[in-house]
Amino acid sequence: MNKPQPLNDTHIKNNSKILWFGMLASAPMFIVAVYYMDKLQILEPIMPEIKNILTGICVLSIPLSLILLGRFKRHQLKIRDNLQLGIDNTPTDLQTYITYMVIGMSLCNLPAILGMVLYMLIGDLYLSLFFIIVSFFLGLLYKPDLK
């Protein structure tokens, strides 16, 4: 069995970029799926009365991801400064950085996922696409910058 690799600066630099790109790629895939479902008219609106609830959750997830973005950027700056000075970052700092990134990107993906659900339950193409696009642009804010 392979042992898990300890967190170090090189792994964090490479893995955070891969993680960010993978999570960011979900929004364009949702756009394509919603677009083709709309063109094929596969679904009829199932529960139009739930629109306000899902829209509210989408709207609330936007400021939450922005609040967490500040903490993420502070940890990213600390890690990047240490990298530039040649100081090894502690595993705790690296784990905190990755944790903020994963939770933040998950919050950024929430509007896209709920946008897809909105389309499937309500059939509102434009509102669904709006939340998916907002999700994509929120995800761009979490781009790792550990030079």
Side-chain angles (χ1 to χ4, degrees):
M1 271 174 105
N2 293 337
K3 285 183 166 181
Q5 296 179 352
L7 285 176
N8 63 38
D9 295 336
T10 305
H11 289 111
I12 290 298
K13 282 172 66 173
N14 296 332
N15 292 340
S16 63
K17 288 177 187 174
I18 293 168
L19 177 67
W20 172 77
F21 182 74
M23 292 184 85
L24 192 66
S26 66
M29 288 188 275
F30 284 140
I31 289 173
V32 170
V34 167
Y35 176 77
Y36 279 110
M37 281 192 295
D38 189 60
K39 289 296 177 197
L40 298 174
Q41 295 184 355
I42 294 174
L43 300 172
E44 293 293 322
I46 300 170
M47 299 177 63
E49 64 275 359
I50 201 167
K51 178 180 182 177
N52 293 336
I53 295 170
L54 290 176
T55 302
I57 295 170
C58 285
V59 169
L60 287 175
S61 67
I62 293 168
L64 289 175
S65 62
L66 292 174
I67 289 169
L68 201 58
L69 178 65
R71 290 183 178 258
F72 169 76
K73 290 294 184 182
R74 279 195 300 270
H75 281 282
Q76 178 174 270
L77 183 63
K78 179 181 177 182
I79 289 171
R80 186 177 61 212
D81 288 347
N82 286 346
L83 286 170
Q84 290 174 346
L85 293 172
I87 301 170
D88 288 336
N89 288 293
T90 65
T92 304
D93 287 340
L94 297 174
Q95 185 62 51
T96 302
Y97 169 76
I98 286 294
T99 301
Y100 279 128
M101 182 178 190
V102 169
I103 293 172
M105 286 296 294
S106 297
L107 282 172
C108 290
N109 267 344
L110 187 59
I113 293 167
L114 291 177
M116 180 82 161
V117 171
L118 265 170
Y119 181 77
M120 290 190 287
L121 294 179
I122 298 151
D124 190 336
L125 175 67
Y126 296 112
L127 187 60
S128 299
L129 289 177
F130 172 75
F131 282 121
I132 294 170
I133 291 168
V134 166
S135 177
F136 179 78
F137 285 111
L138 284 173
L140 287 176
L141 297 175
Y142 276 85
K143 183 177 183 184
D145 186 22
L146 300 176
K147 295 178 184 175

